[in-house]
Amino acid sequence: MGLGALLLLYYGLPLIALLITQSPAELGERLADAQVRRAALVSLGAAGTTTVLSALLGLPLAYGLARGPDWWTTPVTALVVLPLVFPPIVSGMLLLSVFGPSTWIGSAAATAGLPLTRSFAAVVLAQTFVASPFTVITAKSAFEGVPRRYEQASRLLGTGRWTTLRRVTLPLAAPGVAAGLLLTFARSMGEFGATLMVAYYPRTLPVQIWVAFTTLGLDSAFPVAAVLALLSILVLVLLNRLGPNAWE
Amino acid sequence: MTRRHFIAATAALLAGGACTSDSPSSVSLMAAGSLNHALENGLAKQQSETPLEIEAHGSVTVARLVAEGRRAPDIVSLADAALFDGPLHPAWHVEFATNALVLAYNPDTAAGRQLAEAGPANWYEPLLRSEVRLGRTDPDLDPLGYRTLFALDLAGRYYELPDLSARLLDPRQIYPETALISQFEVGAIDAAFAYRSMATARGYAFVELPPQINLSSPAHARNWYERATYRLPDGKVVRGGPISYASTIRHLRPEVRAVFRRQCRGPYLTAFGFSVPDDYPRVYGDAPAPVSSAF
């Protein structure tokens, strides 16, 4: 308990330092700044989209990994973890070399009116690469915690595969799945390195913090960082209150 | 909040976010980090009709990103015209402002106060006594880094201390530019080589260096600044020269030209600590008629 409190203190001190050193007037000024508000919207929108995408694409993958045979789940799990190993800047450079304007995918998408760099889509691509593994890995262990015999019992009672998944497996795995999605959302809100490489515009809050820092230094960057902290805490508390049932 | 409200709110946010991507009439400008403050808070604020999208990195990074096709900005503005001799090769560029190297110090530390006392004539003495925690940026990543090496090389010649650089330089002094700023602002570094514009904008205390050393004076370029050289990782050798900001247009549209003109001639430059010599802006190479006639 005492050791846990020590860690909590370690997490808490920087946040407290960030929040108490900012005067409410300064924070209000930043919230009124059109650039900061736009960046906040982009951050929330992109992190939300990334979380939804991670759920749509990541949960089937997580379920497959939880139930599949070892010979393929082990290498695939390693592949899923790979984005967590790369420094985000490296992830950004790799994404640029696949989706950049000089690649065939990038130029085809740009011709079709959906540029994959310097666009909202680019922000989502960067965040999904870096943050969706949290959903897959966490949901995988949540699905593994659901005993197979419950699914088998449901199937024996004549329930279909899909209904069993929806009515038996997902509700039992829900807390773990929700935790993974929360992690993905939080990581997306803070994503900077990969976003800087592939997008920069439209600016997210982390990019806006960096711009404030490189133009006027720490004193200018901290109020924007406080906006990011407050916004993220607000959303995470809201999502937490909705509870695991939100994903049923 | 019900789940339906939550979903509606999320959808509204998504729609809001999706609208903010590039609009076709905006002008994109990729610039050296040392220009970022002046561009963001000077140029962008004084012109409102065209939305301006400014992206700043170290000059070498900007040049590489554009040369490798990773970025396609309308305007490229770098802290060293030499980068327009490679990796970028535009047909023309305009030099529009100069800057100077200064030695910024932290007046709250003992070592910083020693530098302040030593002043422009003896600034290197506290550094040699190794009481000063000195910071500088990576010479392989941005011109500020290799210009620091040039300044020390020239200082060695100017003060007739041939081993000055060897005695002062230590790889542990190297930080990425952004980390250097934080370390300096929180007091972990006593002194750092910086551009005068940057020191002025942030209110740093600094020691002015003599013009023979600070790379500000086009008059000292020949037979003096040019003696200092540095080899970049790609094998290209950069040579000392006045710190001169250069810019070129990559997509010549009327609104881009208007922004370019304001960037190169605007009164914001001197307000943000840059100098504009009498014969600036200067056009080099074959600029298209609408550009060259504007200067």
Side-chain angles (χ1 to χ4, degrees), chain B residues 249-263:
Chain B
I249 295 180
R250 299 179 69 257
H251 306 123
L252 193 62
R253 306 195 309 266
E255 62 270 28
V256 174
R257 220 162 56 220
V259 170
F260 184 78
R261 194 179 139 76
R262 233 165 288 142
Q263 178 206 223

Side-chain angles (χ1 to χ4, degrees), chain B residues 191-267:
Chain B
F193 284 95
Y195 291 123
R196 187 199 277 141
S197 63
M198 195 168 134
T200 310
R202 296 166 186 230
Y204 296 162
F206 61 87
V207 179
E208 283 273 9
L209 306 175
Q212 288 84 351
I213 295 169
N214 73 9
L215 300 173
S216 71
S217 153
H220 289 93
R222 282 179 65 95
N223 295 326
W224 183 252
Y225 290 165
E226 65 182 20
R227 292 184 191 175
T229 57
Y230 183 74
R231 184 184 291 273
L232 289 173
D234 61 2
K236 189 172 133 67
V237 173
V238 280
R239 198 164 277 286
I243 304 168
S244 189
Y245 289 84
S247 185
T248 191
I249 295 180
R250 299 179 69 257
H251 306 123
L252 193 62
R253 306 195 309 266
E255 62 270 28
V256 174
R257 220 162 56 220
V259 170
F260 184 78
R261 194 179 139 76
R262 233 165 288 142
Q263 178 206 223
C264 294
R265 305 205 73 127

Side-chain angles (χ1 to χ4, degrees), chain B residues 46-60:
Chain B
Q46 69 171 229
Q47 68 126 44
S48 49
E49 63 271 37
T50 319
L52 207 51
E53 297 195 335
I54 300 156
E55 173 169 353
H57 304 273
S59 285
V60 179

Side-chain angles (χ1 to χ4, degrees), chain B residues 10-95:
Chain B
T10 310
L13 281 172
L14 294 188
C19 295
T20 54
S21 50
D22 289 11
S23 62
S25 67
S26 67
V27 171
S28 58
L29 198 163
M30 260 185 110
S34 54
L35 279 172
N36 200 16
H37 178 44
L39 295 177
E40 281 279 339
N41 298 312
L43 182 68
K45 297 259 154 81
Q46 69 171 229
Q47 68 126 44
S48 49
E49 63 271 37
T50 319
L52 207 51
E53 297 195 335
I54 300 156
E55 173 169 353
H57 304 273
S59 285
V60 179
T61 310
V62 170
R64 285 192 191 136
L65 282 172
V66 175
E68 289 165 6
R70 310 272 199 242
R71 288 287 196 283
D74 296 319
I75 299 174
V76 181
S77 301
L78 304 177
D80 191 347
L83 293 166
F84 284 143
D85 259 337
L88 287 176
H89 299 277
W92 59 273
H93 66 263
V94 171
E95 290 190 22

Side-chain angles (χ1 to χ4, degrees), chain A residues 19-82:
Chain A
L19 296 181
I20 62 170
T21 50
Q22 305 312 312
S23 70
E26 180 105 34
L27 268 181
E29 201 177 294
R30 290 318 164 104
L31 283 171
D33 182 339
Q35 272 191 328
V36 173
R37 289 219 314 246
R38 210 158 41 229
L41 276 178
V42 173
S43 270
L44 284 173
T49 311
T50 299
T51 310
V52 171
L53 271 181
S54 301
L56 288 177
L57 309 176
L59 294 184
L61 177 59
Y63 187 74
L65 286 172
R67 292 292 186 241
D70 279 349
W71 65 266
W72 74 268
T73 57
T74 308
V76 170
T77 305
L79 183 68
V80 172
V81 177
L82 204 60

